Amino acid sequence: MSLTVSLLLVALCANGGYGEEGKEAQRTGHVSVVIVGGTGDLARKYLWQGFFQLYVDQVSGGNTFSFYGGGLSPSEKATPILFEILKAVTCSKDVSQERCAILKDQFLRLSQYRQLKALEDYQELAKHIEQQLQQEGMTEAGRLFYLSVPAFTYAGIAEKINSSCRPADGSWLRVVLEKPFGHDYRSAQVLATELLGALKDEEMYRIDHYLGKQVVSKILPFRMENRKLLGPIWNRHHIERIEIVLKETLDVKGDQRFPLPCLKKKMTQ
Ligand SMILES: *[C@@H]1O[C@H](CO)[C@@H](O)[C@H](O)[C@H]1NC(C)=O
């Protein structure tokens, strides 16, 4: 949970100024959040809750928001599913019940399902965002796409985003990619090249779904924090490899290219 939330924070709040200061001053305005795969397992378990939490934290920060759950199903079918998910989001303990009910209600009203399949669907989405901006009389802060879909669909989606969903100059585009990046170095390179055809590097926020798991991401800090004690033994001379096997009850559905939730990490130092 906290992984997803902190990742979202990076994607939503990062100041866009990729090294060059002042080049991309953060502007307030309308933020559109699109979860592609918005009724999938990850979205159901973590993403919507994470975005709701961010919404609660940011609601008084001057931005306005709209949230889109995207997927292949037609909207008559998926809309009720999305709203079942949204109704289950919870507030943190420091928010009163009354305020929580109001915030949830607002969040639900800002959210909708959209079928995102063909290029036209993405074009429609872009049109919808434009209309939203006009209605609100807001400038656009940016658009965040969170791709919670099998990695083999990334390139196609990235292309559609590039060709039809880029915001106007001055607004940011961020695309979060959360999946294992290939099953070996070569397949990861292929994926990276495909993506770079459609998105700029600074527009991509990559996270390896399995490497990002809390337990896994704690391995290195644990080593650093205990350097004194572990330094002499926890190194390449004494450890051949770290093998991480995550047992999950659900697989990465539909993703035949990367079926194994199993990582082998070589010690390099
Ligand atoms: C995005 O699409 C345009 C054409 O619409 C193309 O020129 C450009 O190379 C694509 N990729 C990036 C990273 O902008």
Side-chain angles (χ1 to χ4, degrees):
M1 180 62 203
S2 68
L3 157 74
T4 307
V5 172
S6 52
L7 171 75
L8 296 180
L9 270 171
V10 169
L12 202 60
C13 311
N15 201 356
Y18 318 112
E20 272 176 80
E21 262 179 68
K23 188 178 141 218
E24 295 226 6
Q26 187 81 337
R27 61 150 103 158
T28 53
H30 190 81
V31 177
S32 307
V33 174
V34 185
I35 303 182
V36 186
T39 53
D41 182 57
L42 185 73
R44 174 185 302 269
K45 275 201 208 139
Y46 300 114
L47 299 181
W48 285 110
Q49 176 65 45
F51 278 114
F52 176 61
Q53 218 151 297
L54 281 176
Y55 172 70
V56 170
D57 294 344
Q58 305 234 334
V59 67
S60 51
N63 286 316
T64 55
F65 293 90
S66 42
F67 299 91
Y68 302 90
L72 297 177
S73 310
S75 77
E76 314 83 76
K77 209 176 136 203
T79 296
I81 300 173
L82 179 65
F83 280 91
E84 280 310 307
I85 299 172
L86 295 182
K87 276 189 236 154
V89 297
T90 55
C91 298
S92 59
K93 285 191 205 82
D94 54 328
V95 178
S96 74
Q97 265 188 356
E98 292 77 20
R99 179 154 166 73
C100 184
I102 293 168
L103 288 166
K104 269 181 78 165
D105 188 54
Q106 287 172 353
F107 187 66
L108 258 65
R109 274 190 279 128
L110 297 174
S111 304
Q112 61 169 279
Y113 179 86
R114 293 189 79 86
Q115 185 174 40
L116 290 179
K117 204 171 176 181
L119 180 60
E120 297 82 68
D121 299 325
Y122 285 81
Q123 289 165 340
E124 287 292 318
L125 170 66
K127 246 190 253 166
H128 190 270
I129 293 174
E130 296 300 332
Q131 283 167 1
Q132 193 73 27
L133 293 171
Q134 276 180 6
Q135 264 175 27
E136 287 185 6
M138 291 287 280
T139 52
E140 182 163 29
R143 301 179 186 181
L144 170 65
F145 287 82
Y146 197 114
L147 271 49
S148 177
V149 286
F152 72 85
T153 63
Y154 276 0
I157 294 171
E159 257 168 45
K160 292 188 191 80
I161 293 173
N162 184 40
S163 65
S164 63
C165 285
R166 283 194 168 277
D169 282 349
S171 312
W172 47 257
L173 171 67
R174 289 170 192 161
V175 180
V176 183
L177 307 153
E178 175 165 353
K179 268 292 175 295
F181 278 84
H183 47 85
D184 58 13
Y185 184 51
R186 225 195 90 65
S187 55
Q189 277 181 316
V190 170
L191 184 57
T193 310
E194 285 174 351
L195 285 170
L196 275 173
L199 300 168
K200 299 191 189 88
D201 193 48
E202 64 265 27
E203 291 168 340
M204 284 187 259
Y205 291 75
R206 308 172 183 82
I207 180 166
D208 189 297
H209 184 80
Y210 296 111
L211 283 181
K213 294 264 181 188
Q214 241 178 21
V215 178
V216 179
S217 60
K218 289 264 159 70
I219 292 176
L220 280 180
F222 179 79
R223 178 184 182 222
M224 295 311 281
E225 281 156 23
N226 295 286
R227 225 183 165 121
K228 249 189 179 160
L229 180 70
L230 296 174
I233 48 165
W234 197 338
N235 56 48
R236 66 178 167 190
H237 302 295
H238 299 281
I239 298 177
E240 186 187 277
R241 66 174 189 274
I242 301 174
E243 204 165 296
I244 298 158
V245 179
L246 295 172
K247 295 200 172 181
E248 303 229 16
T249 50
L250 282 168
D251 62 7
V252 274
K253 273 186 201 147
D255 197 343
Q256 295 94 358
R257 277 193 358 196
F258 312 125
L260 284 178
C262 172
L263 306 165
K264 290 180 184 178
K265 230 183 155 222
K266 273 219 156 129
M267 288 293 279
T268 50
Q269 38 174 295

PDB file of all heavy atoms in Angstrom, residues 17 22 28-29 32 42 46 51 58 61 83 97 105 115 137 164-166 170 176 193-194 225 239 242 244 246 259:
ATOM      1  N   GLY A  17      10.617  19.720 -12.962  1.00  0.00           N
ATOM      2  CA  GLY A  17      11.802  20.439 -13.418  1.00  0.00           C
ATOM      3  C   GLY A  17      12.995  19.521 -13.549  1.00  0.00           C
ATOM      4  O   GLY A  17      13.881  19.507 -12.736  1.00  0.00           O
ATOM      5  N   GLY A  22      13.434  25.782 -12.834  1.00  0.00           N
ATOM      6  CA  GLY A  22      12.600  26.851 -13.338  1.00  0.00           C
ATOM      7  C   GLY A  22      12.046  26.596 -14.725  1.00  0.00           C
ATOM      8  O   GLY A  22      11.138  27.261 -15.177  1.00  0.00           O
ATOM      9  N   THR A  28      -0.607  25.293 -11.036  1.00  0.00           N
ATOM     10  CA  THR A  28      -1.836  24.677 -10.543  1.00  0.00           C
ATOM     11  C   THR A  28      -2.854  24.709 -11.665  1.00  0.00           C
ATOM     12  O   THR A  28      -2.759  25.497 -12.592  1.00  0.00           O
ATOM     13  CB  THR A  28      -2.409  25.420  -9.321  1.00  0.00           C
ATOM     14  OG1 THR A  28      -2.538  26.790  -9.653  1.00  0.00           O
ATOM     15  CG2 THR A  28      -1.528  25.250  -8.106  1.00  0.00           C
ATOM     16  N   GLY A  29      -3.808  23.846 -11.564  1.00  0.00           N
ATOM     17  CA  GLY A  29      -4.811  23.766 -12.607  1.00  0.00           C
ATOM     18  C   GLY A  29      -5.508  22.439 -12.505  1.00  0.00           C
ATOM     19  O   GLY A  29      -5.561  21.833 -11.435  1.00  0.00           O
ATOM     20  N   SER A  32      -5.820  15.519 -14.696  1.00  0.00           N
ATOM     21  CA  SER A  32      -6.601  14.351 -15.090  1.00  0.00           C
ATOM     22  C   SER A  32      -5.786  13.105 -14.803  1.00  0.00           C
ATOM     23  O   SER A  32      -4.632  13.007 -15.204  1.00  0.00           O
ATOM     24  CB  SER A  32      -6.922  14.375 -16.586  1.00  0.00           C
ATOM     25  OG  SER A  32      -7.511  15.602 -16.935  1.00  0.00           O
ATOM     26  N   LEU A  42      -4.891  -4.893  -9.500  1.00  0.00           N
ATOM     27  CA  LEU A  42      -4.023  -3.915  -8.830  1.00  0.00           C
ATOM     28  C   LEU A  42      -4.797  -2.632  -8.513  1.00  0.00           C
ATOM     29  O   LEU A  42      -4.692  -2.074  -7.424  1.00  0.00           O
ATOM     30  CB  LEU A  42      -2.822  -3.589  -9.731  1.00  0.00           C
ATOM     31  CG  LEU A  42      -1.778  -2.675  -9.124  1.00  0.00           C
ATOM     32  CD1 LEU A  42      -0.979  -3.407  -8.068  1.00  0.00           C
ATOM     33  CD2 LEU A  42      -0.848  -2.129 -10.203  1.00  0.00           C
ATOM     34  N   TYR A  46      -5.179  -1.550  -4.742  1.00  0.00           N
ATOM     35  CA  TYR A  46      -4.291  -0.478  -4.273  1.00  0.00           C
ATOM     36  C   TYR A  46      -4.521   0.880  -4.916  1.00  0.00           C
ATOM     37  O   TYR A  46      -4.475   1.907  -4.250  1.00  0.00           O
ATOM     38  CB  TYR A  46      -2.826  -0.852  -4.545  1.00  0.00           C
ATOM     39  CG  TYR A  46      -2.369  -2.101  -3.875  1.00  0.00           C
ATOM     40  CD1 TYR A  46      -2.013  -3.218  -4.627  1.00  0.00           C
ATOM     41  CD2 TYR A  46      -2.284  -2.170  -2.485  1.00  0.00           C
ATOM     42  CE1 TYR A  46      -1.584  -4.378  -4.008  1.00  0.00           C
ATOM     43  CE2 TYR A  46      -1.856  -3.322  -1.868  1.00  0.00           C
ATOM     44  CZ  TYR A  46      -1.501  -4.426  -2.633  1.00  0.00           C
ATOM     45  OH  TYR A  46      -1.079  -5.561  -2.022  1.00  0.00           O
ATOM     46  N   PHE A  51      -5.066   6.756  -4.937  1.00  0.00           N
ATOM     47  CA  PHE A  51      -5.461   8.027  -5.552  1.00  0.00           C
ATOM     48  C   PHE A  51      -6.474   8.770  -4.686  1.00  0.00           C
ATOM     49  O   PHE A  51      -6.457  10.001  -4.620  1.00  0.00           O
ATOM     50  CB  PHE A  51      -6.015   7.807  -6.959  1.00  0.00           C
ATOM     51  CG  PHE A  51      -4.927   7.685  -7.994  1.00  0.00           C
ATOM     52  CD1 PHE A  51      -4.712   6.504  -8.678  1.00  0.00           C
ATOM     53  CD2 PHE A  51      -4.104   8.775  -8.261  1.00  0.00           C
ATOM     54  CE1 PHE A  51      -3.695   6.402  -9.610  1.00  0.00           C
ATOM     55  CE2 PHE A  51      -3.088   8.676  -9.200  1.00  0.00           C
ATOM     56  CZ  PHE A  51      -2.883   7.487  -9.882  1.00  0.00           C
ATOM     57  N   GLN A  58      -4.714  16.483  -1.271  1.00  0.00           N
ATOM     58  CA  GLN A  58      -4.438  17.594  -2.188  1.00  0.00           C
ATOM     59  C   GLN A  58      -5.659  18.440  -2.495  1.00  0.00           C
ATOM     60  O   GLN A  58      -5.553  19.425  -3.231  1.00  0.00           O
ATOM     61  CB  GLN A  58      -3.926  17.026  -3.518  1.00  0.00           C
ATOM     62  CG  GLN A  58      -2.743  16.124  -3.359  1.00  0.00           C
ATOM     63  CD  GLN A  58      -1.593  16.556  -4.237  1.00  0.00           C
ATOM     64  OE1 GLN A  58      -1.784  17.183  -5.264  1.00  0.00           O
ATOM     65  NE2 GLN A  58      -0.391  16.245  -3.810  1.00  0.00           N
ATOM     66  N   GLY A  61      -5.413  22.067  -2.257  1.00  0.00           N
ATOM     67  CA  GLY A  61      -4.147  22.631  -2.742  1.00  0.00           C
ATOM     68  C   GLY A  61      -4.266  23.488  -3.984  1.00  0.00           C
ATOM     69  O   GLY A  61      -3.261  23.904  -4.550  1.00  0.00           O
ATOM     70  N   PHE A  83     -17.641   1.471  -9.777  1.00  0.00           N
ATOM     71  CA  PHE A  83     -18.222   2.147  -8.619  1.00  0.00           C
ATOM     72  C   PHE A  83     -18.269   1.263  -7.381  1.00  0.00           C
ATOM     73  O   PHE A  83     -18.175   1.768  -6.267  1.00  0.00           O
ATOM     74  CB  PHE A  83     -19.558   2.799  -8.978  1.00  0.00           C
ATOM     75  CG  PHE A  83     -19.320   4.104  -9.687  1.00  0.00           C
ATOM     76  CD1 PHE A  83     -19.229   4.155 -11.075  1.00  0.00           C
ATOM     77  CD2 PHE A  83     -19.081   5.263  -8.961  1.00  0.00           C
ATOM     78  CE1 PHE A  83     -18.943   5.344 -11.732  1.00  0.00           C
ATOM     79  CE2 PHE A  83     -18.800   6.457  -9.606  1.00  0.00           C
ATOM     80  CZ  PHE A  83     -18.725   6.505 -10.998  1.00  0.00           C
ATOM     81  N   GLN A  97     -15.755  10.905  10.280  1.00  0.00           N
ATOM     82  CA  GLN A  97     -16.682  10.137   9.437  1.00  0.00           C
ATOM     83  C   GLN A  97     -17.472  11.028   8.497  1.00  0.00           C
ATOM     84  O   GLN A  97     -17.665  10.685   7.330  1.00  0.00           O
ATOM     85  CB  GLN A  97     -17.646   9.354  10.325  1.00  0.00           C
ATOM     86  CG  GLN A  97     -17.178   7.937  10.560  1.00  0.00           C
ATOM     87  CD  GLN A  97     -18.236   7.115  11.283  1.00  0.00           C
ATOM     88  OE1 GLN A  97     -19.299   7.612  11.673  1.00  0.00           O
ATOM     89  NE2 GLN A  97     -17.939   5.847  11.462  1.00  0.00           N
ATOM     90  N   ASP A 105     -17.897  11.089  -1.548  1.00  0.00           N
ATOM     91  CA  ASP A 105     -18.935  11.484  -2.483  1.00  0.00           C
ATOM     92  C   ASP A 105     -18.352  12.351  -3.603  1.00  0.00           C
ATOM     93  O   ASP A 105     -18.630  12.146  -4.785  1.00  0.00           O
ATOM     94  CB  ASP A 105     -20.024  12.231  -1.705  1.00  0.00           C
ATOM     95  CG  ASP A 105     -21.217  12.501  -2.591  1.00  0.00           C
ATOM     96  OD1 ASP A 105     -21.726  11.525  -3.166  1.00  0.00           O
ATOM     97  OD2 ASP A 105     -21.606  13.677  -2.727  1.00  0.00           O
ATOM     98  N   GLN A 115     -14.286   3.346 -21.821  1.00  0.00           N
ATOM     99  CA  GLN A 115     -13.669   2.278 -22.600  1.00  0.00           C
ATOM    100  C   GLN A 115     -12.454   2.864 -23.324  1.00  0.00           C
ATOM    101  O   GLN A 115     -12.547   3.900 -23.976  1.00  0.00           O
ATOM    102  CB  GLN A 115     -14.653   1.727 -23.623  1.00  0.00           C
ATOM    103  CG  GLN A 115     -14.083   0.526 -24.370  1.00  0.00           C
ATOM    104  CD  GLN A 115     -15.106  -0.134 -25.285  1.00  0.00           C
ATOM    105  OE1 GLN A 115     -15.892   0.541 -25.945  1.00  0.00           O
ATOM    106  NE2 GLN A 115     -15.096  -1.445 -25.318  1.00  0.00           N
ATOM    107  N   GLY A 137     -13.310  26.367 -16.548  1.00  0.00           N
ATOM    108  CA  GLY A 137     -12.538  27.578 -16.777  1.00  0.00           C
ATOM    109  C   GLY A 137     -11.147  27.478 -16.172  1.00  0.00           C
ATOM    110  O   GLY A 137     -10.583  28.462 -15.715  1.00  0.00           O
ATOM    111  N   SER A 164      -2.698  11.101 -29.433  1.00  0.00           N
ATOM    112  CA  SER A 164      -3.988  11.776 -29.252  1.00  0.00           C
ATOM    113  C   SER A 164      -4.230  12.371 -27.868  1.00  0.00           C
ATOM    114  O   SER A 164      -5.197  13.098 -27.689  1.00  0.00           O
ATOM    115  CB  SER A 164      -5.121  10.806 -29.585  1.00  0.00           C
ATOM    116  OG  SER A 164      -5.093   9.728 -28.678  1.00  0.00           O
ATOM    117  N   CYS A 165      -3.417  12.065 -26.896  1.00  0.00           N
ATOM    118  CA  CYS A 165      -3.734  12.531 -25.538  1.00  0.00           C
ATOM    119  C   CYS A 165      -2.684  13.439 -24.921  1.00  0.00           C
ATOM    120  O   CYS A 165      -2.684  13.650 -23.709  1.00  0.00           O
ATOM    121  CB  CYS A 165      -3.979  11.350 -24.607  1.00  0.00           C
ATOM    122  SG  CYS A 165      -5.568  10.573 -24.860  1.00  0.00           S
ATOM    123  N   ARG A 166      -1.789  13.949 -25.736  1.00  0.00           N
ATOM    124  CA  ARG A 166      -0.812  14.872 -25.147  1.00  0.00           C
ATOM    125  C   ARG A 166      -1.493  16.177 -24.774  1.00  0.00           C
ATOM    126  O   ARG A 166      -2.254  16.718 -25.549  1.00  0.00           O
ATOM    127  CB  ARG A 166       0.293  15.181 -26.157  1.00  0.00           C
ATOM    128  CG  ARG A 166       1.281  14.069 -26.304  1.00  0.00           C
ATOM    129  CD  ARG A 166       2.531  14.521 -27.042  1.00  0.00           C
ATOM    130  NE  ARG A 166       3.535  13.479 -26.889  1.00  0.00           N
ATOM    131  CZ  ARG A 166       4.308  13.371 -25.840  1.00  0.00           C
ATOM    132  NH1 ARG A 166       4.249  14.261 -24.869  1.00  0.00           N
ATOM    133  NH2 ARG A 166       5.178  12.378 -25.743  1.00  0.00           N
ATOM    134  N   GLY A 170       3.325  23.237 -21.936  1.00  0.00           N
ATOM    135  CA  GLY A 170       3.252  23.898 -20.635  1.00  0.00           C
ATOM    136  C   GLY A 170       2.566  23.046 -19.581  1.00  0.00           C
ATOM    137  O   GLY A 170       2.679  23.316 -18.400  1.00  0.00           O
ATOM    138  N   VAL A 176       2.854   6.337 -15.772  1.00  0.00           N
ATOM    139  CA  VAL A 176       3.422   5.411 -14.797  1.00  0.00           C
ATOM    140  C   VAL A 176       3.303   3.989 -15.339  1.00  0.00           C
ATOM    141  O   VAL A 176       2.240   3.570 -15.783  1.00  0.00           O
ATOM    142  CB  VAL A 176       2.684   5.491 -13.440  1.00  0.00           C
ATOM    143  CG1 VAL A 176       3.343   4.574 -12.426  1.00  0.00           C
ATOM    144  CG2 VAL A 176       2.659   6.916 -12.933  1.00  0.00           C
ATOM    145  N   THR A 193      12.937   0.478 -25.826  1.00  0.00           N
ATOM    146  CA  THR A 193      13.028   1.131 -27.134  1.00  0.00           C
ATOM    147  C   THR A 193      11.643   1.440 -27.685  1.00  0.00           C
ATOM    148  O   THR A 193      11.393   2.519 -28.208  1.00  0.00           O
ATOM    149  CB  THR A 193      13.773   0.213 -28.137  1.00  0.00           C
ATOM    150  OG1 THR A 193      14.976  -0.217 -27.509  1.00  0.00           O
ATOM    151  CG2 THR A 193      14.093   0.931 -29.419  1.00  0.00           C
ATOM    152  N   GLU A 194      10.736   0.479 -27.535  1.00  0.00           N
ATOM    153  CA  GLU A 194       9.367   0.693 -28.011  1.00  0.00           C
ATOM    154  C   GLU A 194       8.757   1.911 -27.325  1.00  0.00           C
ATOM    155  O   GLU A 194       8.145   2.760 -27.968  1.00  0.00           O
ATOM    156  CB  GLU A 194       8.502  -0.532 -27.698  1.00  0.00           C
ATOM    157  CG  GLU A 194       8.778  -1.717 -28.598  1.00  0.00           C
ATOM    158  CD  GLU A 194       8.002  -2.969 -28.169  1.00  0.00           C
ATOM    159  OE1 GLU A 194       7.382  -2.964 -27.079  1.00  0.00           O
ATOM    160  OE2 GLU A 194       8.021  -3.940 -28.927  1.00  0.00           O
ATOM    161  N   GLU A 225      21.980   0.125   6.479  1.00  0.00           N
ATOM    162  CA  GLU A 225      21.826   0.488   7.880  1.00  0.00           C
ATOM    163  C   GLU A 225      22.636  -0.410   8.807  1.00  0.00           C
ATOM    164  O   GLU A 225      22.963  -0.036   9.923  1.00  0.00           O
ATOM    165  CB  GLU A 225      20.343   0.433   8.281  1.00  0.00           C
ATOM    166  CG  GLU A 225      19.583   1.663   7.809  1.00  0.00           C
ATOM    167  CD  GLU A 225      18.096   1.394   7.668  1.00  0.00           C
ATOM    168  OE1 GLU A 225      17.593   0.450   8.316  1.00  0.00           O
ATOM    169  OE2 GLU A 225      17.437   2.120   6.892  1.00  0.00           O
ATOM    170  N   ILE A 239      28.129 -13.984  -0.910  1.00  0.00           N
ATOM    171  CA  ILE A 239      26.763 -14.275  -1.365  1.00  0.00           C
ATOM    172  C   ILE A 239      26.792 -14.448  -2.879  1.00  0.00           C
ATOM    173  O   ILE A 239      27.245 -13.563  -3.605  1.00  0.00           O
ATOM    174  CB  ILE A 239      25.798 -13.127  -1.003  1.00  0.00           C
ATOM    175  CG1 ILE A 239      25.741 -12.959   0.523  1.00  0.00           C
ATOM    176  CG2 ILE A 239      24.402 -13.410  -1.551  1.00  0.00           C
ATOM    177  CD1 ILE A 239      24.876 -11.810   0.977  1.00  0.00           C
ATOM    178  N   ILE A 242      20.923 -13.452  -4.798  1.00  0.00           N
ATOM    179  CA  ILE A 242      19.713 -13.343  -3.986  1.00  0.00           C
ATOM    180  C   ILE A 242      18.565 -13.801  -4.862  1.00  0.00           C
ATOM    181  O   ILE A 242      18.420 -13.340  -5.988  1.00  0.00           O
ATOM    182  CB  ILE A 242      19.432 -11.888  -3.555  1.00  0.00           C
ATOM    183  CG1 ILE A 242      20.611 -11.346  -2.756  1.00  0.00           C
ATOM    184  CG2 ILE A 242      18.152 -11.807  -2.744  1.00  0.00           C
ATOM    185  CD1 ILE A 242      20.463  -9.877  -2.422  1.00  0.00           C
ATOM    186  N   ILE A 244      14.574 -14.150  -5.122  1.00  0.00           N
ATOM    187  CA  ILE A 244      13.345 -13.718  -4.465  1.00  0.00           C
ATOM    188  C   ILE A 244      12.162 -14.394  -5.147  1.00  0.00           C
ATOM    189  O   ILE A 244      11.962 -14.255  -6.353  1.00  0.00           O
ATOM    190  CB  ILE A 244      13.182 -12.190  -4.563  1.00  0.00           C
ATOM    191  CG1 ILE A 244      14.357 -11.519  -3.846  1.00  0.00           C
ATOM    192  CG2 ILE A 244      11.865 -11.744  -3.950  1.00  0.00           C
ATOM    193  CD1 ILE A 244      14.612 -10.120  -4.292  1.00  0.00           C
ATOM    194  N   LEU A 246       8.142 -14.644  -5.017  1.00  0.00           N
ATOM    195  CA  LEU A 246       6.929 -14.109  -4.412  1.00  0.00           C
ATOM    196  C   LEU A 246       5.781 -15.058  -4.704  1.00  0.00           C
ATOM    197  O   LEU A 246       5.494 -15.335  -5.857  1.00  0.00           O
ATOM    198  CB  LEU A 246       6.617 -12.734  -4.989  1.00  0.00           C
ATOM    199  CG  LEU A 246       7.639 -11.646  -4.684  1.00  0.00           C
ATOM    200  CD1 LEU A 246       7.317 -10.404  -5.473  1.00  0.00           C
ATOM    201  CD2 LEU A 246       7.658 -11.343  -3.204  1.00  0.00           C
ATOM    202  N   PRO A 259       5.576 -14.324 -17.427  1.00  0.00           N
ATOM    203  CA  PRO A 259       4.704 -15.051 -16.517  1.00  0.00           C
ATOM    204  C   PRO A 259       5.249 -15.285 -15.118  1.00  0.00           C
ATOM    205  O   PRO A 259       4.501 -15.627 -14.233  1.00  0.00           O
ATOM    206  CB  PRO A 259       4.520 -16.395 -17.232  1.00  0.00           C
ATOM    207  CG  PRO A 259       5.749 -16.566 -18.043  1.00  0.00           C
ATOM    208  CD  PRO A 259       6.315 -15.214 -18.316  1.00  0.00           C
TER     209      PRO A 259
END
